Every structure is written in structure tokens, then in C-alpha cells.
Amino acid sequence: DAKSKVVILATGGTIAGAGATAANSATYQAAKVPVDKLIAGVPELANVADVRGEQVFQIASESFTNEQLMTLGKRVSALAKQDDVDGIVITHGTDTLEETAFFLNLVVRSEKPVVVVGSMRPGSALSADGMLNLYDAVAVAAAKDARGKGVLVAMNDEIQSGRDVSKAINIRTEAFKSPWGALGMVVEGKSYWFRAPVKRHTTSSEFDIDKIEKLAPVEVAYGYGNMSDAAYRAFDKAGVKAVIHAGTGNGSVAKHIVPALQELRGKGVQVIRSARVTGGGFVLRNAEQPDDKYDWVVAHDLNPQKARILAAVALTATQDSKELQRIFWEY
Ligand SMILES: NC(=O)CC[C@H](N)C(=O)O
């Protein structure tokens, strides 16, 4: 059997990090080690695929911009169209890995496996997790049964849906959780599957990175007791197309914030209710707030940062709040 051909696109993060000593598991510099060195560090990759690397960026992922998402997405899409590419792995900082994975899940029109991977400890640390995570990610990207399941995240022996997964812990290697559970596991280079996503993604998506030029500006404000409307007024001045309200409980909105949000909506800004409560529920429409009356949108089960990604993509195609709500139900 010919081995699968997998391209590793490196963007930085802790998986490319280096610390002063092996005891530095948490204090180190991210985005230091080039992709060829990452690949050379795991000779076993050659057992599961023919791999080659490309250095796309060398950054910590909290600094990822919309322009960088676009650049990465267009590169993934171009590679996925090539006959000599069977799967793509993206090494990424963990802080915003969930956003990039969801973005690619929405806009890359390919059945080929796209697997995003990071690590919680730099390669220089005792019990570094990056090498096994990279091996697992390449093994999943090379696997035929990973095709058509949307963009995946392989971390800590688990295969997660890029749509659902979130960084939930900042220190432990079991940092990534999905409220709906992992899709499967990867053990010694073999994938084991237990469920598949039902939301629209990749080949069943109406969005296509090849046809998008610029993402819409969307900002997020966090809800809490005594919240003021200052952030929303500032976002409005800055020219946003949508605001994500990371509301309390069921995406609830303090009564003294409602007038500012209605004012923004009146000017055409979309108001999207997400929630700071992310353990495994979803925001119910017309509960806590009259969304129909105010012409607001609910983010379904998407956390605020994922809701930002979907809104930034969807608003390249429509400015209609009903369409936007349909998209939030379907993706
Ligand atoms: N574990 C990590 O990758 C975190 C490092 C850095 N903050 C980043 O997201 O790139």
C-alpha cells in the first residue's frame, strides 16, 4: 500500500515552544522551533505517512488575526485540491486553536482530513506532549476513516470535532474538552471512532474560503453583574457588523444594557446572544429575552469565541438576521 501523503502546516504555539530547562513546563517561549525540526523530532511519523512541512506563521495563537485565518484557510484549501495531498495537519498554539479549527470546518470544501494539533508543554520539557500529539494528528490525517468528518483536533489521545472542542484548562495536558464528548480516540497510530458530527461542515457547507476575501468585523463583550454598555458603544463606533453578548446563564442581558443593544440593532448591527455558561447546554431563543421582538439572534451551543467565527464568516454572505439565525442553527 502506498502511504498517505500528509502536509504539516506550522503556525507556532507551544508545540513549537522551547524552555530554558526541562523543568520549565509552563514558562517558556512559544513559537520558536521551525517545522522541519518538529518533524525531525518524531522519526516515527514516517511509519504512518509521507510527511512534509511548511512554515506558514511562527506566532502565539492569541495573536492570530482574521487576515492570518484567511491566509491559512486559503493555503489549506489549495493543498486539499492537490492529488499529491491526502491529509493536512496544522500545528497551532492552543489558546485560539478552537477558533481556527471551527473556521476551517466552515470554509474548507474538502473531504480530506484536516487535523489541528497543539501541545500544553514545550518540546524541551519533561513529559512533553507535543511529539505524541503530532504523531496522533498525522496518523488521523493519514486515515481513510477520518475523511468527511469535518475538521478535527487530535490532542491527548482524543479525536475531537473542531466545531465542538474548546480549551478548558490552561495547564494540564487534558486541556481540550467538548460539551458533547470526543468523536474518537487515537492509540498507537490507529483511530477508533464512536460518533460523527451532525452539523453542516466542509463539503456540506455553503461557505467557501476560495470565495471569501475579508471576514466581517465582530466583537465580543462579557456579561456580568453591574455590566455597563461602554463596550457596546465603543464597538459600534469602531464599525462592527455584529456583537456577541457573552451573557450570563441563558445568554441573559441586564435590563440597563438592552437599550444600547436595541440601538445598535436599529443601526444594522447584528446582536447575537451567546453565554459565558459553556459546560454543555445552549442558549434558548426567546427565553430570558424576546429575540423575535428585538430581532436578535441566538448562538445555539456555540461559545462566544466560536460564535464570533461563525458570524464573521456568515456576514460575508448575508446581512439578514433570519438567515443568520438559520446559519446558527445549522452549523
Ligand atoms: N499551549 C499553548 O500553545 C499556549 C501558548 C500560546 N499562548 C499560544 O496559544 O500559542
Side-chain angles (χ1 to χ4, degrees):
D1 278 4
K3 253 184 267 171
S4 292
K5 296 182 181 64
V6 172
V7 179
I8 300 177
L9 297 178
T11 72
T14 296
I15 194 163
T21 76
N24 289 113
S25 61
T27 54
Y28 54 86
Q29 279 194 288
K32 283 278 142 201
V33 182
V35 66
D36 290 340
K37 226 178 138 188
L38 291 183
I39 292 171
V42 192
E44 293 78 7
L45 293 177
N47 301 339
V48 285
D50 283 333
V51 294
R52 65 179 178 86
E54 275 180 33
Q55 194 75 48
V56 183
F57 310 118
Q58 188 63 293
I59 59 171
S61 71
E62 62 271 25
S63 301
F64 243 87
T65 63
N66 282 356
E67 289 68 33
Q68 285 165 324
L69 280 179
M70 291 296 300
T71 301
L72 179 64
K74 285 188 187 281
R75 186 67 192 130
V76 172
S77 174
L79 284 169
K81 290 193 178 83
Q82 288 182 205
D83 291 338
D84 64 346
V85 176
D86 298 309
I88 297 158
V89 167
I90 296 147
T91 62
H92 200 291
T94 53
D95 286 3
T96 64
L97 189 151
E98 65 201 80
E99 281 133 282
T100 298
F102 184 41
F103 174 68
L104 298 173
N105 189 65
L106 294 171
V107 298
V108 174
R109 297 274 198 104
S110 177
E111 287 253 298
K112 292 182 185 175
V114 175
V115 185
V116 192
V117 62
S119 78
M120 296 303 291
R121 297 176 182 144
S124 50
L126 294 165
S127 290
D129 54 331
M131 289 175 288
L132 179 57
N133 285 350
L134 183 61
Y135 179 75
D136 287 346
V138 169
V140 173
K144 299 235 173 347
D145 54 8
R147 290 174 65 96
K149 292 191 168 69
V151 172
L152 303 166
V153 173
M155 299 268 300
N156 198 43
D157 306 335
E158 291 178 323
I159 307 167
Q160 303 271 3
S161 162
R163 176 196 185 272
D164 296 339
V165 78
S166 229
K167 184 176 184 178
I169 304 173
N170 67 325
I171 297 173
R172 292 184 227 167
T173 51
E174 53 158 325
F176 281 73
K177 313 275 183 194
S178 159
W180 313 117
L183 303 181
M185 294 192 70
V186 50
V187 183
E188 295 187 355
K190 187 171 164 30
S191 317
Y192 299 84
W193 299 93
F194 299 98
R195 59 186 97 248
V198 297
K199 298 295 188 181
R200 291 173 71 176
H201 60 74
T202 57
T203 50
S204 71
S205 176
E206 70 202 81
F207 307 109
D208 183 348
I209 186 78
D210 298 346
K211 297 187 181 123
I212 300 175
E213 286 314 318
K214 197 174 193 297
L215 294 174
V218 179
E219 303 280 355
V220 181
Y222 204 86
Y224 45 87
N226 203 50
M227 184 190 187
S228 83
D229 62 11
Y232 288 124
R233 301 227 175 260
F235 291 155
D236 180 30
K237 270 209 190 92
V240 290
K241 288 272 182 282
V243 291
I244 310 294
H245 180 70
T248 40
N250 184 52
S252 55
V253 183
K255 63 179 189 305
H256 51 275
I257 304 293
V258 170
L261 288 179
Q262 281 178 303
E263 203 181 305
L264 263 64
R265 185 70 202 102
K267 294 180 183 171
V269 176
Q270 301 287 347
V271 175
I272 302 170
R273 294 197 300 123
S274 180
R276 66 181 204 184
V277 177
T278 56
F282 58 94
V283 175
L284 285 159
R285 194 173 163 88
N286 292 320
E288 294 275 359
Q289 291 293 332
D291 297 299
D292 287 349
K293 182 171 153 207
Y294 292 165
D295 198 22
W296 291 352
V297 169
V298 293
H300 201 21
D301 64 327
L302 295 177
N303 69 26
Q305 58 271 28
K306 284 178 186 275
R308 179 190 77 90
I309 294 289
L310 182 52
V313 169
L315 291 169
T316 65
T318 183
Q319 306 302 316
D320 181 80
S321 61
K322 306 253 173 339
E323 266 291 280
L324 191 61
Q325 184 65 75
R326 172 192 63 78
I327 288 164
F328 268 89
W329 295 141
E330 292 181 4
Y331 286 84

